[in-house]
């Protein structure tokens, strides 16, 4: 794309009026979502100090190479468009931390995607991913990965290399067996496997950092075995949580009884020791009094 190529009249492109109004106040955020563009206006790419850009639901089908001019951009929302690929130029945004690509027409990610070394949150749900993009395995700094409503059937064995990952959303895919690489993801806090085809779960009790595990709308017969600190969401989860709470409450009551018994025994022991000490003091006092009394003449 080149400046002035957007219309048959050859007129120079300008920022949308809404953009000029937003930027006039000095705010480094631009909200253009819901406005219909055939392409992203090139003057937007010239806003070198822009930090947040929202262009969701605009209908754009591609991004210009000039988008790499947004060197200060931290948040980029491109969801609900018609993108079929992520351009290499987007991978040269050195400060990008959040990227929203959901509800597009993506089949994968470019090899250059791992150049986004500041990226922490990636949403790429509701696309056409049949395979896990292996370039993500080169991004251990990624913390939140939203891949729901795709076509995934397996996960790569190298997934544990994504050591920074804390939240992983895989709902609405095509898993028929629990992906074994997830058993090594001991750093996960959130794992969502809703709406797959899972019939059973392995033991997940070793995932000690897990706080939320969602498995609703899977043909499983029983909830998974997880640590007591995990909130589970799915068929039978309510009964499972109630039974766990009753068990934990019984354990707490037992611990309280044991602590109370120990305190009582300690008080009895202290009272006995105090009594013995008092008796010893009285005996020594009498002895000393006799020893120290003056002799009669």
């Amino acid at each position: 794309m080149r400046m002035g190529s957007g219309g048959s009249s050859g007129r120079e492109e300008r920022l949308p009026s809404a953009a000029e109004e937003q930027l006039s106040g000095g705010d480094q955020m631009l909200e253009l979502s819901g406005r219909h563009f055939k392409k992203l206006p090139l003057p937007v790419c010239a806003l070198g100090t822009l930090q947040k850009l929202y262009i969701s639901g605009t209908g754009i089908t591609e991004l210009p190479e000039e988008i790499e001019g947004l060197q200060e951009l931290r948040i980029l929302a491109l969801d609900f468009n018609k993108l079929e690929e992520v351009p290499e130029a987007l991978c040269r945004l050195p400060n990008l931390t959040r990227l929203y690509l959901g509800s597009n027409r993506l089949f994968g990610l470019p090899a250059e995607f791992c150049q986004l070394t500041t990226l922490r949150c990636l949403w790429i749900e509701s696309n056409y991913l049949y395979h896990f993009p292996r370039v993500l395995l080169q991004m251990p700094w990624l913390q939140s990965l939203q891949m729901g409503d795709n076509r995934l059937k397996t996960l790569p064995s190298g997934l544990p290399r994504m050591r920074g990952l804390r939240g992983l959303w895989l709902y609405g895919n095509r898993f028929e067996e629990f992906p074994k690489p997830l058993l090594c993801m001991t750093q996960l806090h959130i794992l969502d496997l809703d709406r797959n085809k899972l019939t059973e779960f392995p033991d997940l009790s070793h995932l000690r950092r897990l706080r939320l595990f969602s498995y609703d709308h899977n043909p499983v017969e029983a909830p998974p075995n997880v640590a007591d600190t995990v909130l589970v969401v799915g068929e039978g989860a309510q009964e499972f949580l109630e039974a766990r709470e009753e068990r934990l409450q019984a354990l707490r009551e037992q611990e309280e009884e044991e602590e109370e018994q120990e305190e009582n025994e300690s008080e009895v022991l202290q009272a006995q020791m105090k009594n013995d000490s008092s008796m010893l003091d009285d005996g020594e006092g009498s002895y000393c009094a006799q020893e120290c009394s003056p002799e009669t003449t």
Side-chain angles (χ1 to χ4, degrees):
M1 290 187 176
R2 297 294 176 215
M3 196 74 79
S5 62
S8 58
S9 63
R11 292 178 300 175
E12 182 180 355
E13 286 187 86
R14 299 183 57 184
L15 282 173
S17 58
E20 295 178 351
E21 293 174 5
Q22 292 180 50
L23 296 171
S24 63
D27 194 353
Q28 297 305 316
M29 180 187 79
L30 187 56
E31 172 63 86
L32 298 175
S33 297
R35 301 174 183 274
H36 294 286
F37 302 118
K38 291 183 178 180
K39 61 179 183 177
L40 182 66
L42 286 180
V44 172
C45 301
L47 300 172
T49 60
L50 197 65
Q51 296 184 9
K52 303 176 184 180
L53 177 58
Y54 301 91
I55 44 179
S56 306
T58 59
I60 57 175
T61 58
E62 60 181 355
L63 294 170
E65 290 294 316
E66 286 82 355
I67 196 169
E68 68 176 290
L70 301 174
Q71 291 289 290
E72 297 298 321
L73 202 64
R74 294 188 296 109
I75 299 176
L76 178 57
L78 291 164
D79 44 331
F80 296 99
N81 283 299
K82 300 177 181 179
L83 298 175
E84 296 183 359
E85 62 180 6
V86 175
E88 181 181 344
L90 188 149
C91 303
R92 293 194 289 267
L93 298 178
N95 292 295
L96 197 64
T97 61
R98 293 176 175 269
L99 178 59
Y100 300 98
L101 293 168
S103 299
N104 276 283
R105 300 174 179 177
L106 301 174
F107 284 83
L109 295 171
E112 297 80 9
F113 198 78
C114 61
Q115 296 175 14
L116 295 171
T117 56
T118 58
L119 195 65
R120 298 295 179 266
C121 174
L122 173 62
W123 286 33
I124 193 170
E125 77 282 5
S126 300
N127 276 282
Y128 298 99
L129 300 180
Y130 286 85
H131 303 283
F132 188 94
R134 291 190 173 273
V135 66
L136 296 179
L137 302 181
Q138 303 175 46
M139 303 177 70
W141 49 82
L142 203 62
Q143 297 177 358
S144 177
L145 180 56
Q146 163 65 280
M147 301 185 74
D149 287 326
N150 276 286
R151 277 101 168 133
L152 301 177
K153 291 183 178 181
T154 61
L155 295 177
S157 59
L159 187 67
R161 296 209 299 267
M162 300 183 72
R163 296 181 298 274
L165 209 57
R166 297 296 181 265
L168 180 57
W169 287 263
L170 296 168
Y171 60 83
N173 277 281
R174 299 177 179 179
F175 298 109
E176 296 181 1
E177 296 182 357
F178 187 89
K180 291 184 179 180
L182 292 177
L183 295 174
C184 299
M185 301 293 286
T186 55
Q187 79 282 7
L188 281 180
H189 293 179
I190 299 174
L191 177 57
D192 190 337
L193 283 166
D194 282 1
R195 293 190 285 110
N196 279 282
K197 300 177 181 180
L198 304 174
T199 57
E200 60 181 357
F201 295 111
D203 187 355
L204 303 178
S205 59
H206 66 287
L207 301 179
R208 294 292 178 178
R209 296 185 181 180
L210 197 62
R211 292 296 175 265
L212 174 63
F213 178 57
S214 185
Y215 64 93
D216 210 8
H217 301 99
N218 278 282
V220 292
E221 296 181 358
N225 182 28
V226 294
D228 289 336
T229 53
V230 181
L231 174 64
V232 291
V233 179
E235 184 69 26
Q238 185 62 35
E239 295 80 0
F240 171 81
L241 292 174
E242 290 176 356
R244 183 173 72 183
E245 182 56 33
E246 290 179 2
R247 175 172 58 82
L248 293 177
Q249 181 62 30
L251 287 174
R252 285 192 291 266
E253 292 175 355
Q254 181 180 349
E255 290 176 355
E256 290 174 359
E257 290 176 1
E258 291 175 353
E259 289 177 0
E260 185 177 353
Q261 184 177 354
E262 290 177 359
E263 289 177 0
N264 292 337
E265 291 176 353
S266 177
E267 290 176 358
V268 171
L269 181 60
Q270 290 177 8
Q272 185 176 354
M273 292 176 62
K274 183 176 181 181
N275 184 49
D276 292 345
S277 176
S278 178
M279 292 177 63
L280 182 61
D281 289 344
D282 290 345
E284 288 179 350
S286 300
Y287 175 78
C288 290
Q290 293 176 2
E291 289 289 316
C292 297
S293 61
E295 297 181 357
T296 57
T297 55

